[in-house]
Amino acid sequence: MSVSMEADIKTTPKGFHCSLCNVNIPNQPSLEQHVKGRKHQTLSTVRCTRKSQEERSVFVSGLKPNISNTDLAEYFHRFGPVVDVIMDKNKGVYAIVQFDEIDGMNTALSCVEHRLKGLKLRVKPREKKEFKLIPKKKNDFQNLQEVFDRLKPELCQLGSVNAQILYMVERFQLGDNEKKARSLVIQLLQEVFVEFFPDSKIIPFGSSVNTFGIHSCDLDLFLDLENTKVFQAHAKANFEQAGEGMSDDGRSEDSILSDIDLSTASAAEVLDLVAVILKRCVPNVDKVHVVSTARLPVVKFHHKELNLHGDITLNNRLAVRNTRFLQLCSGAEERLRHLVYTVRLWAKQKQLAGNPSGGGPLLNNYALTLLVIFYLQNCDPPVLPTVDQLKHMACEEEECVIEDWDCTFPTQAIAVPASKNTQDLCGLLAGFFSFYAKFEFTTSVISLRTGQSVPTETFLKKADEAMQEDSTSKHHHGGPKIGPMNILDPFELSHNVAGNLNDRTARSFQKECQEAEKYCRSLQYQSKSSKGKSWGLVRLLTPHGEVQQARAELFTISIPFKSDVLPEDLRNQQHIAKEAFSLLWFQRVCAVIESIFQNVLKCQLVSAPEVFDAGEDMDSQNSSLDDSGFSVDSSLEFGPNIGVKRPLSSGSDDSVSPHGKKPRLSKRGRTTLSPWLWEQRHVVWAGRRKVRRELIKDSEAKAEGSCVALETQVTSHITEKEPELKEVLQFKLQPQVVGATESTSTLLKFQPIQDSVGVFQDFFHFLEVFLPKMVETMLLNRMDNV
Ligand code: ATP
Ligand code: MG
């Protein structure tokens, strides 16, 4: 590492911190990667360039607006070649003049008086500023989070969950002015595009118009070139008939269209053209770029004045139609809108939805909305009709087929009979969570057409049969992509709108639904807190991180004291020595725990506990300790072989105290060891039962955790056969002893430190059963050896 790089990196209790890039780095290998990485390298280069510029620049003040960059450049040129002059934003107050070489700067600084256009200029060395990374503008999610945080106190003041939902929607939804501003942008684009693409139409779809839009939502637009194609075909025919340079209305000659034949041009070519038009001809637009890798290629742009991000797609009639469908449902049933806003916000807070820049393994808003509609179709009595039922409510003129898919439904919401379901929003929201908490996502396909879920196998068989019988284009693309969550688009029946989800997101979605279901059953959800605490929607919509923190408290396993693991003579004395026995037993438990993680479960030890830290827990590790690390607040002496110093399981006896110091129970009757930090690279908890069965085959069956050698073998088998986790799981484990003698137990507090793959909970659930049994087995084994 270079000297300047070292200065950027600081060691922290959690690893390292790079002050240049403002990031935390957990360990040495990641640090090495970070330092070699693009971000760090680019920032280092930028900093170097800035520094060298600073060293060759002077700061000039005392200017007036009549002095231009050129005036300054000309004036300072007499001291040496000038490479740049940067004026302040208001022009004419100060400027930075950058010389090509340091000599130019020195000469300018040594000149006693500077006069230009009758003004006396002040020339100073440029101030050396510390190079700092300016954080990027907050993304929509952070904005959303901020808005929600500000709303919290107001929400808690309201009297019911219904009122909270209505209030929240009111604050998030697109206002009338925003809608107006959006339609003006659409109008402007329409006017420009029609110049280049005669008879073309710009049609908005998505959240700007589907009644579920929030303040920062993007502007989805469909550029309909169907009529332009017709126009072009006519023009071409006329041209061939009438000879060169002529057309029926003269529009095509100076049109950009003369450069492109829409009947043969690829979507990419047309989109490139759209991008050029946006860049050159639409005022106030920037950040124009084509994304051709998306499911539907798109031109992205940004409207500066409105700070509005927009997408223009071609061939997107189905999306326009499904937007109409959402509008219809919303018009037919007011509660849908409120539920969709709430579920969208909940999913965002729990990091289940909101793929950055479109792609990614999370749910998108359209898929979430379909999940809400499907649930409402399944309420008793139903809140919304199925899509097939809607089709039958439509009249003949409303029939609509797009790309061979039947997209028929009534135009007006009035055609849909009102629901007989009278549940309120509070109840319906709770119902949503319990509906999906037990839903069989992996084995079924959700169909909004029928309002039913179909077992995946049956669905695939039927799709296969349909394909054999019907050769229309709708079956050309084959069936939908079956994945961990299958939500069939209600119109494009070969499309799974949740096809982008990975196992983890699908699992998290269900887990979060289960958590939310549990919470919705509690008093905290249903009734206002009299003590001003978070309640109702506020708790439900608490971001993932905060819940995770609260949940960390829940990751505790208790190992109850059992006297039969002590040698008989000690057992007889336990009532006399009381807490001494608790500590003795605790130390033995800690020693076997270390051995279980290290040897049986093959975890890597990152850092070990160094001290006994009486009465403190994971969050406060700076308690006052004597040099042995034991807190002293009692006078009970221990025998020479009692006490723990790392490593816990070293030596023939695992309870050796190197100094014979005196560990004590704190006044609160607790002793806490500082935490271990462990890493696990393998799914050692997955499929153990099966491996165990294979390993012991016909020999005597053994229960989980009853044999150390066997469990070690099971782990080895898994680590050899199963692929490593994509990213290592890192977790803290802090043991604590509570209670005295018979009521003593060891509490093992776990906390995920790095769990980007999202496996910690699975590992923990396995440990809940496995550890107590394994500890007992090992303690008994060790006692046999005493
Ligand atoms: P937001 O932009 O606020 O996230 P949105 O509803 O506009 O919400 P987008 O991802 O911008 O969502 O998509 C715009 C529209 O395109 C959707 O409303 C829907 O009509 C259609 N759409 C999006 N994703 C899909 C999909 N996977 N399948 C079918 N149609 C989709
Ligand atoms: Mg959108």
Side-chain angles (χ1 to χ4, degrees), residues 124-267:
K124 292 195 302 185
R126 193 175 160 191
E127 211 178 297
K128 308 277 180 291
K129 277 198 193 140
E130 197 193 333
F131 179 79
K132 271 221 171 101
L133 176 66
I134 298 162
K136 272 195 198 148
K137 260 197 176 164
K138 285 180 182 166
N139 60 28
D140 292 347
F141 173 68
Q142 279 164 315
N143 286 338
L144 200 72
Q145 179 59 46
E146 271 173 24
V147 176
F148 181 66
D149 279 345
R150 277 202 303 274
L151 279 189
K152 277 181 182 175
E154 293 160 44
L155 288 170
C156 286
Q157 294 296 315
L158 297 168
S160 67
V161 172
N162 288 338
Q164 288 185 327
I165 295 179
L166 295 175
Y167 189 76
M168 193 259 311
V169 174
E170 188 66 32
R171 299 303 287 268
F172 277 98
Q173 70 190 358
L174 277 179
D176 286 343
N177 285 344
E178 284 168 292
K179 284 190 202 157
K180 234 179 254 165
R182 282 167 189 248
S183 43
L184 284 174
V185 172
I186 296 168
Q187 205 179 318
L188 170 71
L189 290 170
Q190 177 72 71
E191 280 165 19
V192 174
F193 276 98
V194 84
E195 289 293 320
F196 296 97
F197 299 112
D199 298 340
S200 64
K201 261 192 285 177
I202 296 257
I203 306 169
F205 66 100
S207 53
S208 299
V209 287
N210 68 10
T211 76
F212 306 115
I214 58 168
H215 300 309
S216 56
C217 73
D218 61 356
L219 177 63
D220 300 295
L221 301 170
F222 163 50
L223 174 61
D224 184 353
L225 294 174
E226 237 10 78
N227 291 338
T228 316
K229 280 184 197 161
V230 175
F231 170 85
Q232 198 179 41
H234 276 167
K236 215 163 130 192
N238 288 338
F239 173 82
E240 278 160 11
Q241 248 178 25
E244 278 179 40
M246 299 289 289
S247 68
D248 58 350
D249 60 3
R251 276 191 291 179
S252 68
E253 281 145 76
D254 56 351
S255 162
I256 208 163
L257 261 191
S258 44
D259 296 339
I260 195 163
D261 181 353
L262 289 178
S263 61
T264 54
S266 68

Side-chain angles (χ1 to χ4, degrees), residues 205-207 210 217-218 220 295 319 322-323 365-366 489 495 497:
F205 66 100
S207 53
N210 68 10
C217 73
D218 61 356
D220 300 295
R295 189 174 86 93
N322 68 38
T323 298
N365 277 333
Y366 179 61
D489 187 88
H495 173 49
V497 301

Side-chain angles (χ1 to χ4, degrees), residues 28-75:
Q28 188 69 37
S30 310
L31 175 65
E32 276 159 26
Q33 262 188 349
H34 170 79
V35 170
K36 277 187 253 151
R38 210 172 65 187
K39 183 175 181 182
H40 191 86
Q41 288 295 322
T42 311
L43 286 176
S44 302
T45 316
V46 173
R47 176 172 56 187
C48 255
T49 317
R50 294 260 175 96
K51 194 161 174 262
S52 111
Q53 285 170 349
E54 267 175 13
E55 283 167 357
R56 290 178 283 122
S57 308
V58 290
F59 181 86
V60 185
S61 56
L63 304 178
K64 287 260 162 77
N66 66 336
I67 294 184
S68 68
N69 282 37
T70 325
D71 293 336
L72 284 170
E74 273 173 15
Y75 171 77

Side-chain angles (χ1 to χ4, degrees), residues 4 13 15 82 120 160 165 259 309 600 726:
S4 69
V82 171
K120 201 171 159 203
S160 67
I165 295 179
D259 296 339
H309 291 273
V600 182
K726 283 208 183 79

